[in-house]
Amino acid sequence: MTRSEVIRPFIEKTLSEWLEAAEIRRSEKGEYVFRHGSAEICVRIDEGDQTIVSVYSVILRNVKKSARLLDALNAINGDLDFARVFWLENAVVLVTELLASTLDAEQLRAACQLVSRLADELDTRLKKKFGGKTAFPDERLRSDEVDV
């Protein structure tokens, strides 16, 4: 039995309780995916020397790298604790990582809450400045607001 097979039931139970969902489903890639506002949040198990649980969100897709964008991401990183945001392959990604060997339910919930809140806030703000596409429309925007 792999380490991911050992931790998977714990992650499913914790996410199910936190999201108040009867059943948590995995994507084709084996990740747990859920929506928070305009953001899509993913929970992934990465096996290596140490098994890592990553909670991440691709907060913008189809965004070009520029010095201005990288400066903005660097400024955001300077204000973040326990997470980082970066540009990768025409996307802006927000991630936090946890060691599976010491993971408890409170840590996983806190990581999901952190990434969910930040992704939903940053995606719309960065889209207005740099373009790109969020995972879902931001329902908080009024229909008469221009979403650049």
Side-chain angles (χ1 to χ4, degrees):
M1 185 176 273
T2 66
R3 289 178 270 180
S4 63
E5 291 172 328
V6 172
I7 196 161
R8 195 168 292 286
F10 165 76
I11 290 173
E12 289 174 1
K13 180 180 186 289
T14 303
L15 289 176
S16 177
E17 290 171 356
W18 181 63
L19 295 169
E20 298 177 353
E23 183 180 342
I24 299 297
R25 296 179 194 239
R26 288 189 294 182
S27 72
E28 293 174 4
K29 296 191 290 184
E31 300 175 337
Y32 301 97
V33 180
F34 59 93
R35 180 179 179 173
H36 183 81
S38 56
E40 181 177 77
I41 313 303
C42 304
V43 179
R44 178 181 68 218
I45 302 169
D46 295 312
E47 289 202 45
D49 292 338
Q50 299 226 20
T51 301
I52 303 292
V53 175
S54 299
V55 181
Y56 73 95
S57 178
V58 178
I59 58 177
L60 279 182
R61 289 174 171 78
N62 303 326
V63 64
K64 292 185 179 189
K65 180 169 66 171
S66 69
R68 215 173 110 235
L69 172 64
L70 297 178
D71 285 345
L73 299 181
N74 194 42
I76 291 167
N77 281 327
D79 291 334
L80 290 181
D81 293 321
F82 308 111
R84 67 187 185 284
V85 62
F86 53 92
W87 181 92
L88 177 69
E89 299 176 2
N90 295 317
V92 176
V93 180
L94 169 70
V95 67
T96 189
E97 293 138 339
L98 307 158
L99 284 173
S101 61
T102 59
L103 185 62
D104 64 27
E106 187 172 331
Q107 290 172 323
L108 182 57
R109 282 191 301 269
C112 288
Q113 288 170 337
L114 174 69
V115 171
S116 295
R117 179 183 54 81
L118 287 171
D120 188 36
E121 172 192 322
L122 291 172
D123 63 356
T124 303
R125 185 170 53 155
L126 290 171
K127 179 181 178 181
K128 286 180 180 180
K129 283 186 170 181
F130 302 103
K133 184 173 175 11
T134 58
F136 301 100
D138 193 334
E139 296 167 354
R140 294 172 301 186
L141 293 177
R142 295 188 328 255
S143 60
D144 62 340
E145 279 189 83
V146 176
D147 193 14
V148 182

